[in-house]
Amino acid sequence: MVSTKDNSTLLKNNSLRRLMVARVSTNFAYQMLTIAIGWQMYSLTKSAFYLGLVGLVQFLPMLFLSLFVGHASDRYDRRKIITLSQTIQSLFILILAFGSFSGWITKERFLLIIFLIAVAHSFEGPPMQALLPNIVSREVFPRASALMSSVSEFAVIVGPAVGGILYSFGPTLIYALVGTLYLTSGTLISQISIKKEEFKPEPASIKSLFAGISFIKSKPIILGAISLDLFAVLFGGATALLPIYASSILMIGSFGLGVLRSAPAIGALLMSAYLAKNPLKHNVGKTMFTAVIFFGISTIVFALSKSVIISFLALFVLGASDVISVVIRSTLVQLETPDNMRGRVSSVNMIFIGTSNQLGEFESGTTAALFGTVNAAFIGGIGTIIVVLLWMKLFPSILHVDKFQTSKP
């Protein structure tokens, strides 16, 4: 067991503390932004399909830009890229605040601004993922990753509830606060000191641009881990339908939506705090598969529930199981990747994550429009479990992963 003293020693790292506060700020902001965007779009359109379009316009920039961002992350200062990205996101979010206040927001303009925010956001993910290994040693990385997840999930818990409350006063206040938090995060990131491994950057070429894909293809464990997340969450994206559940099925309003949004984060916070104190030492691969199966089961329970309490508990389990998968996947990817490749590998990972999250929202919204909200969520949960069983056959090497690799690849 890892003691609390061990975590206190980690927190003496000033750069790690700045990164943690920055991540808390952006997670808090992003959760409020998600609440406001989802509720405002549903208020404007009363359409599950348009909720799905929100996910699609967030996914497309990530799909087309992530490889270029990853290439840049391995050649230039990752801190500057993140800072610029978050500053631009803040600008467009403040424009959204002004548009909501002045009343000229339509569904078309709304989607356009969300798209521009997503373009800026696509420059944040790969360098942010690659930053932690430049701050802490390989030996403590699994614990640092779990600790980072733990403090980040605190913001994910508070953010939706605060967003739900603030939305009762209209979206303008939320957007103004979110824009300020993104500026704060960018400032903190710019002040981080990093220990980047010395290497000679590859000449810019098509080959180096796609090197992240080639590297992942050569590593079945990494390919299996991130593709599992892609397809499992793609089918299990029931959280995209929460505005409909809160408004039309559970009848709990915008504050209730915030509470439901907080449920996965509460489960994730408690689980990540546990993992920070008790890092996984054995049966890493089997644990990841088991966690994703529980993700699918909890999605099914949520889909069929007509009770707020049962829905909350199902989402709680969903969040707890998801964070186990996230910590294992991120640790496997970062520890098995050399520093001069982390930006490009992280960019491919971000495409997979974006596909599972944003494209998953589009899939859920489209399926709900075709088959109904409850049926869409139920089918998604079943699909997640089928994917896990299939991946256990396709990537047996993951089942045999017992420990994390703490020596250099």
Side-chain angles (χ1 to χ4, degrees):
M1 177 179 292
V2 179
S3 67
T4 304
K5 182 179 179 181
D6 293 323
N7 289 334
S8 299
T9 301
L10 266 181
L11 292 176
K12 291 181 181 179
N13 185 323
N14 289 332
S15 292
L16 180 60
R17 286 206 308 268
R18 289 191 179 98
L19 180 60
M20 288 170 63
V21 175
R23 292 285 293 273
V24 167
S25 297
T26 52
N27 281 348
F28 183 75
Y30 183 78
Q31 293 303 315
M32 289 197 298
L33 183 65
T34 300
I35 288 290
I37 286 174
W39 197 261
Q40 190 172 13
M41 177 58 82
Y42 192 64
S43 298
L44 287 170
T45 65
K46 300 298 181 184
S47 167
F49 177 73
Y50 270 93
L51 282 177
L53 280 182
V54 170
L56 181 62
V57 299
Q58 290 176 307
F59 164 71
L60 290 177
M62 185 179 298
L63 174 64
F64 291 108
L65 295 175
S66 285
L67 289 180
F68 296 97
V69 177
H71 191 267
S73 299
D74 286 335
R75 298 179 63 84
Y76 305 108
D77 192 327
R78 292 164 181 164
R79 297 164 298 179
K80 292 180 180 179
I81 297 173
I82 297 169
T83 299
L84 181 60
S85 167
Q86 294 185 339
T87 301
I88 295 174
Q89 287 179 77
S90 174
L91 173 63
F92 285 120
I93 292 168
L94 292 175
I95 291 174
L96 199 57
F98 176 77
S100 298
F101 177 77
S102 59
W104 55 259
I105 288 292
T106 63
K107 60 181 182 294
E108 293 82 10
R109 291 170 178 169
F110 197 52
L111 286 172
L112 175 60
I113 297 174
I114 294 171
F115 174 78
L116 294 174
I117 294 172
V119 169
H121 181 71
S122 66
F123 284 82
E124 176 186 334
M128 183 71 84
Q129 280 197 4
L131 201 56
L132 183 59
N134 296 142
I135 295 175
V136 299
S137 67
R138 298 177 61 86
E139 291 72 21
V140 300
F141 182 86
R143 185 153 41 90
S145 178
L147 184 63
M148 185 71 69
S149 295
S150 180
V151 297
S152 297
E153 292 300 339
F154 175 76
V156 179
I157 292 171
V158 177
V162 173
I165 293 172
L166 293 181
Y167 195 89
S168 62
F169 300 98
T172 302
L173 180 60
I174 296 179
Y175 295 139
L177 179 57
V178 168
T180 302
L181 287 172
Y182 268 99
L183 279 177
T184 300
S185 175
T187 301
L188 289 169
I189 293 294
S190 68
Q191 297 172 350
I192 288 176
S193 298
I194 62 174
K195 299 177 181 179
K196 194 167 184 178
E197 297 177 17
E198 294 296 328
F199 62 88
K200 184 178 180 179
E202 298 178 49
S205 65
I206 295 296
K207 181 180 178 181
S208 65
L209 178 65
F210 289 95
I213 296 176
S214 299
F215 181 84
I216 289 174
K217 287 172 62 179
S218 70
K219 296 282 187 177
I221 290 177
I222 297 179
L223 176 61
I226 64 176
S227 60
L228 173 65
D229 177 80
L230 164 63
F231 289 103
V233 181
L234 175 64
F235 290 117
T239 52
L241 303 175
L242 283 179
I244 301 176
Y245 270 91
S247 176
S248 304
I249 296 176
L250 299 174
M251 311 294 288
I252 51 179
S254 63
F255 177 72
L257 172 61
V259 172
L260 288 182
R261 281 280 185 186
S262 297
I266 295 174
L269 172 64
L270 295 179
M271 181 56 69
S272 56
Y274 175 82
L275 292 175
K277 288 187 176 182
N278 304 275
L280 293 170
K281 296 181 179 179
H282 298 286
N283 298 318
V284 168
K286 292 178 181 178
T287 301
M288 185 175 69
F289 280 126
T290 302
V292 182
I293 288 176
F294 273 95
F295 182 92
I297 293 173
S298 58
T299 299
I300 293 171
V301 173
F302 172 76
L304 301 177
S305 171
K306 298 295 189 296
S307 163
V308 175
I309 295 176
I310 293 177
S311 297
F312 182 90
L313 292 175
L315 292 172
F316 175 91
V317 175
L318 183 148
S321 57
D322 184 48
V323 83
I324 295 173
S325 173
V326 167
V327 169
I328 293 174
R329 185 187 72 248
S330 63
T331 303
L332 285 174
V333 171
Q334 296 299 334
L335 292 186
E336 301 234 355
T337 305
D339 188 58
N340 66 319
M341 288 291 299
R342 283 195 180 113
R344 283 166 288 179
V345 170
S346 294
S347 70
V348 179
N349 191 29
M350 287 302 300
I351 292 175
F352 278 67
I353 293 172
T355 300
S356 62
N357 292 334
Q358 277 76 44
L359 194 58
E361 291 181 8
F362 178 67
E363 179 272 334
S364 295
T366 303
T367 306
L370 293 174
F371 303 110
T373 302
V374 174
N375 290 335
F378 177 78
I379 292 171
I382 294 293
T384 296
I385 296 174
I386 292 175
V387 165
V388 176
L389 298 177
L390 181 60
W391 254 238
M392 292 172 71
K393 295 291 185 181
L394 293 175
F395 298 95
S397 57
I398 297 179
L399 280 171
H400 300 128
V401 175
D402 184 46
K403 298 179 180 180
F404 291 120
Q405 177 181 311
T406 55
S407 59
K408 290 188 178 182

